[in-house]
């Protein structure tokens, strides 16, 4: 089987009988390698001691006094956030359960980076065994990765990128049938863009990734169909897959006319059909469900897969465990 997305750390996690990811000490240690937590040369003794203790036992309890003893204010804040996140992961039997509980109650002050990392590793599990590079690239949720395009961040999203010695990204290349075979060997470089033009393979591949996402996290069978044209579309029930798409859906639902600029921001429109009719809420029976994907005015696409979890009109059932 071809491996991919090594930088998300999936190979450091275990799987339970249901195929869900089980947090390990090795996975928790990834966070200790992040530059926000790795003590710099000038770090105080309290910070160095705490870091060393957690490297030895990443599940070790940490009390407020230990964090308060750290001299640097920024370091204290980083450690408080990281320990809260560690405790959240450790409190759930699986990574999937930790994610679903988080998005259902609201991410609150949780750093978006942590949520994105969790999505990355869960998607790697959802797509395990998939050998279609278009679906895998669609599963990474962005047409061309922001950091690769802008080269704005000197630090990799995951410390594993540096640890694995992965090469820096080269020029962006659009994924096609000819170069798809090379995706697996370069999947952690994020230097392949996905063509999301209406009617082409990219939007359909993203639909397959969303179907797998719902099946894995909610045990929900659904068919997601990309639409080339918005014909006979009644947005009685819709889900914005990002903040911009939600604003567009709200405007249409209130009968407002979209500006030409707003229309140009729409990247994709999907019709979602739920195959488990018994789980559909009564108020949504008979209504088509539409998914909207849009980019910002500066042409940035930031999909929020948690919107699929919280926005569907279904009985959510028991949380994944």
């Amino acid at each position: 089987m071809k491996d991919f997305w090594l930088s998300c750390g999936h190979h450091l996690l275990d799987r339970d009988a249901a195929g869900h990811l089980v947090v390990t000490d090795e996975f928790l240690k990834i966070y200790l390698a992040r530059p926000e937590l790795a003590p710099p040369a000038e770090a105080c003794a309290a910070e160095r001691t705490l870091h060393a203790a957690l490297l030895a036992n990443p599940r070790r309890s940490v009390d407020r006094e230990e964090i308060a003893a750290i001299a640097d204010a920024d370091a204290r804040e980083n450690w408080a956030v990281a320990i809260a996140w560690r405790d959240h992961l450790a409190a759930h039997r699986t990574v999937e359960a930790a994610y679903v509980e988080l998005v259902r109650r609201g991410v609150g002050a949780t750093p978006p980076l942590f949520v994105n990392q969790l999505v990355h590793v869960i998607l790697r599990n959802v797509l395990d065994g998939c050998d279609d590079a278009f679906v895998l690239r669609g599963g990474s949720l962005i047409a061309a990765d922001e950091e690769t395009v802008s080269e704005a961040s000197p630090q990799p999203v995951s410390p594993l990128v540096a640890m694995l010695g992965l090469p820096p990204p080269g020029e962006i290349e659009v994924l096609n049938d000819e170069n798809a075979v090379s995706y697996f060997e370069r999947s952690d470089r994020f230097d392949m863009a996905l063509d999301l033009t209406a009617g082409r393979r990219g939007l359909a591949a993203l639909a397959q990734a969303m179907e797998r996402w719902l099946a894995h996290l909610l045990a929900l069978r659904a068919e997601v169909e990309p639409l080339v044209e918005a014909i006979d579309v009644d947005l009685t029930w819709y889900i914005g897959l990002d903040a911009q798409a939600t604003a567009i859906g709200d405007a249409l639902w209130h009968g407002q006319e979209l500006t030409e600029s707003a229309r140009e921001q729409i990247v994709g429109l999907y019709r979602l059909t739920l195959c488990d009719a018994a789980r559909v809420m009564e108020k949504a029976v008979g209504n088509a469900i539409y998914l909207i994907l849009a980019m910002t005015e500066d042409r940035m696409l930031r999909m929020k897969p948690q919107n699929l979890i919280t926005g569907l009109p279904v009985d959510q059932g028991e949380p994944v465990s």
Side-chain angles (χ1 to χ4, degrees), residues 14-124:
D14 292 332
R15 285 191 178 92
D16 65 11
H20 294 146
L21 299 170
V22 178
V23 175
T24 64
D25 288 356
E26 290 74 20
F27 184 77
L28 292 177
K29 287 181 182 180
I30 291 176
Y31 294 96
L32 298 174
R34 289 198 59 84
E36 297 90 343
L37 295 184
E42 66 275 14
C44 67
E47 185 176 0
R48 293 197 302 270
T49 299
L50 177 58
H51 189 266
L54 288 171
L55 279 176
N57 178 12
R59 297 178 192 263
R60 171 188 177 278
S61 63
V62 177
D63 57 40
R64 294 179 180 177
E65 288 72 19
E66 289 180 276
I67 296 177
I70 296 174
D72 184 78
D74 289 339
R76 288 198 300 271
E77 182 179 359
N78 290 341
W79 276 104
V81 170
I83 294 303
W85 179 248
R86 188 276 312 259
D87 291 347
H88 177 76
L89 292 178
H92 294 81
R93 201 173 64 83
T94 67
V95 172
E96 287 87 347
Y99 173 77
V100 170
E101 196 275 334
L102 179 70
V103 300
R104 283 180 175 173
R105 67 171 170 80
V107 297
T110 303
L113 175 64
F114 285 177
V115 180
N116 291 343
Q117 287 178 332
L118 219 58
V119 169
H120 194 183
V121 74
I122 293 173
L123 269 171
R124 174 58 184 81

Side-chain angles (χ1 to χ4, degrees), residues 55-306:
L55 279 176
N57 178 12
R59 297 178 192 263
R60 171 188 177 278
S61 63
V62 177
D63 57 40
R64 294 179 180 177
E65 288 72 19
E66 289 180 276
I67 296 177
I70 296 174
D72 184 78
D74 289 339
R76 288 198 300 271
E77 182 179 359
N78 290 341
W79 276 104
V81 170
I83 294 303
W85 179 248
R86 188 276 312 259
D87 291 347
H88 177 76
L89 292 178
H92 294 81
R93 201 173 64 83
T94 67
V95 172
E96 287 87 347
Y99 173 77
V100 170
E101 196 275 334
L102 179 70
V103 300
R104 283 180 175 173
R105 67 171 170 80
V107 297
T110 303
L113 175 64
F114 285 177
V115 180
N116 291 343
Q117 287 178 332
L118 219 58
V119 169
H120 194 183
V121 74
I122 293 173
L123 269 171
R124 174 58 184 81
N125 193 33
V126 168
L127 298 171
D128 193 53
C130 177
D131 59 3
D132 187 335
F134 286 84
V135 175
L136 299 180
R137 192 62 188 92
S140 59
L141 304 182
I142 193 166
D145 292 86
E146 180 179 6
E147 289 189 7
T148 304
V149 173
S150 66
E151 298 183 352
S153 174
Q155 295 289 348
V157 169
S158 167
L160 285 179
V161 172
M163 292 178 186
L164 294 170
L166 297 170
E171 295 183 0
I172 295 293
E173 186 177 358
V174 178
L175 184 65
N176 56 46
D177 290 331
E178 287 68 38
N179 62 23
V181 67
S182 69
Y183 176 81
F184 295 90
E185 65 188 55
R186 59 198 283 192
S187 66
D188 284 290
R189 289 160 55 184
F190 306 104
D191 62 351
M192 301 189 86
L194 186 67
D195 186 352
L196 296 179
T197 305
R200 296 185 183 174
R201 190 171 175 181
L203 287 175
L206 181 54
Q208 292 182 48
M210 289 191 283
E211 290 174 354
R212 286 175 174 245
W213 180 254
L214 291 172
H216 185 78
L217 287 174
L218 298 182
L220 188 67
R221 293 185 302 114
E223 295 177 357
V224 181
E225 172 194 4
L227 303 178
V228 177
E229 295 180 321
I231 299 176
D232 296 328
V233 170
D234 179 8
L235 293 183
T236 301
W237 204 285
Y238 63 92
I239 298 172
L241 297 175
D242 54 86
Q244 188 64 33
T246 299
I248 290 173
D250 291 346
L252 291 173
W253 191 81
H254 286 97
Q256 299 174 16
E257 187 72 22
L258 293 183
T259 65
E260 185 61 29
S261 175
R263 292 180 182 276
E264 291 177 352
Q265 289 172 254
I266 299 175
V267 174
L269 179 65
Y270 295 89
R271 180 186 294 115
L272 183 146
T273 302
L274 294 169
C275 302
D276 300 315
R279 291 179 61 181
V280 179
M281 295 179 180
E282 183 178 353
K283 60 183 177 181
V285 172
N287 294 323
I289 301 169
Y290 292 96
L291 312 177
I292 307 170
L293 183 66
M295 58 186 174
T296 61
E297 291 183 354
D298 57 353
R299 306 184 69 79
M300 192 64 65
L301 178 62
R302 295 189 177 94
M303 183 175 174
K304 296 182 176 180
Q306 62 264 35

